Amino acid sequence: MTKAFVVGHPIRHSRSPMIHGHWLARHGLEGAYEKLDVAPADFPTFVRSFAAQGYAGGNVTIPHKEAAYLSVDRRTPRAEKMKAVNTLWVEDGLVWGDNTDVLGFMAHLDDTLGTGWEQAVDTALVLGAGGAARAVVAGLQDRPIRRILVANRTLAKAEELVRDLDPEGAVLAALPWEEVGGAVAAADLIVNTTSLGMAGQPPLALDLSAARPTAAVADIVYVPLETPLLAAATARGLRTVDGLGMLLHQAAPGFARWFGVTPQVTAELRALVEADLRSKA
Ligand code: ATR
């Protein structure tokens, strides 16, 4: 029986077992997907030993994505670019690491806004400069978007992200947090990658009154599913992209690798995870 895991610290609230469990059942596969709580000090050893413990691989979540990047033997170009790994597997005795967050975010954008949405996007505004922002920006960079503004409370982090992902500054530009309000009017796509709006955190206070009526607003926060930012966007009639789809889509490549079947992100799966999120809200 093939076994996979999601490893984090804490890991109690992870929805990944629900997603992979659904796919295992759907495809009639004999497999298991387990939650593993591993403290940071034990993580490098875990990466060396999971195969011996009978696991084909697994997902890596907070706070281990950077440590996973440093601990693997081989990385995909995507993981190299992100300097973070969220998917592990073993090939010819070597531990490989990939980063599927980029694919996850973009697949969900394409699903929600419709293929070709980028044709109508001249300027994108990304809020935040952490690991999630890197994945979002890297995904957007693959599309013909003329300008991607990265705004962060700590400007130096936004500048570092821009330097790393676009050394020439051809498309990316760092924006001071105080200037976000003024940039809203120019943005065709606004993406929140900060933790603001998450349950227990203050909302992201962004005034959308100057937003273009054609703009789309995305949030990678999915607890709650409708963040205050998305609620404000909906109230103004703007298109919204929630955070749950990214979580569902980023899971698919790992499943395909460990269990050998490419799974689909269906309405049924979404409804299942949505119901769980709502029941615990
Ligand atoms: P992740 O890897 O999930 O993106 P992270 O690296 O901790 O998580 O990044 C969190 C992001 O939320 C950062 O951009 C952070 O801004 P700083 O770089 O200035 O810390 C942003 N963030 C968190 N709390 C915030 C707040 N109260 N106001 C503005 N931005 C905030």
Side-chain angles (χ1 to χ4, degrees):
M1 182 179 76
T2 305
K3 284 199 309 175
F5 57 80
V6 57
V7 60
H9 184 70
I11 197 62
R12 223 172 28 257
H13 299 296
S14 171
R15 261 71 184 195
S16 291
M18 176 176 265
I19 298 168
H20 291 277
H22 172 81
W23 284 332
L24 285 170
R26 195 108 239 281
H27 294 285
L29 295 170
E30 248 206 80
Y33 185 95
E34 298 165 6
K35 281 184 207 180
L36 303 178
D37 192 320
V38 172
D42 301 326
F43 187 76
T45 309
F46 171 77
V47 172
R48 310 278 23 123
S49 62
F50 73 77
Q53 294 173 48
Y55 293 104
N59 287 121
V60 179
T61 188
I62 291 168
H64 298 315
K65 292 185 189 185
E66 284 77 25
Y69 168 83
L70 294 173
S71 306
V72 296
D73 300 310
R74 295 280 184 279
R75 307 166 186 130
T76 62
R78 280 199 300 261
E80 208 68 71
K81 187 169 179 185
M82 291 298 95
K83 297 198 181 111
V85 156
N86 76 339
T87 305
L88 300 172
W89 71 96
V90 179
E91 225 172 287
D92 300 327
L94 297 176
V95 179
W96 276 78
D98 191 10
N99 188 311
T100 65
D101 285 336
V102 180
L103 288 179
F105 178 70
M106 296 310 285
H108 182 47
L109 263 191
D110 290 344
D111 258 16
T112 313
L113 299 179
T115 319
W117 57 267
E118 64 270 19
Q119 306 303 331
V121 175
D122 175 80
T123 299
L125 172 61
V126 177
L127 309 177
R134 272 176 191 262
V136 165
V137 168
L140 295 178
Q141 273 183 301
D142 277 344
R143 306 292 171 95
I145 296 170
R146 190 181 61 84
R147 195 161 57 131
I148 303 172
L149 303 173
V150 183
N152 196 46
R153 177 179 62 178
T154 311
L155 180 60
K157 266 178 75 183
E159 288 171 340
E160 190 190 333
L161 185 157
V162 168
R163 260 198 315 274
D164 261 14
L165 297 187
D166 184 11
E168 262 111 71
V171 173
L172 299 188
L175 190 75
W177 194 242
E178 305 74 54
E179 290 175 27
V180 164
V184 164
D188 304 294
L189 174 67
I190 299 170
V191 187
N192 174 45
T193 77
T194 74
S195 45
L196 295 172
M198 200 181 279
Q201 299 284 325
L204 172 66
L206 187 65
D207 181 1
L208 293 174
S209 57
R212 301 174 166 215
T214 52
V217 179
D219 205 326
I220 67 151
V221 170
Y222 61 88
V223 180
L225 204 50
E226 188 179 52
T227 60
L229 175 69
L230 293 182
T234 301
R236 304 205 74 85
L238 306 179
R239 289 169 302 158
T240 62
V241 183
D242 68 32
L244 178 55
M246 178 177 180
L247 176 76
L248 301 178
H249 282 282
Q250 64 76 31
F255 187 92
R257 246 182 228 293
W258 313 312
F259 300 112
V261 177
T262 301
Q264 299 301 312
V265 174
T266 58
E268 187 191 0
L269 171 61
R270 216 194 123 89
L272 185 78
V273 182
E274 239 188 271
D276 182 64
L277 292 174
R278 289 192 201 284
S279 75
K280 296 191 175 115

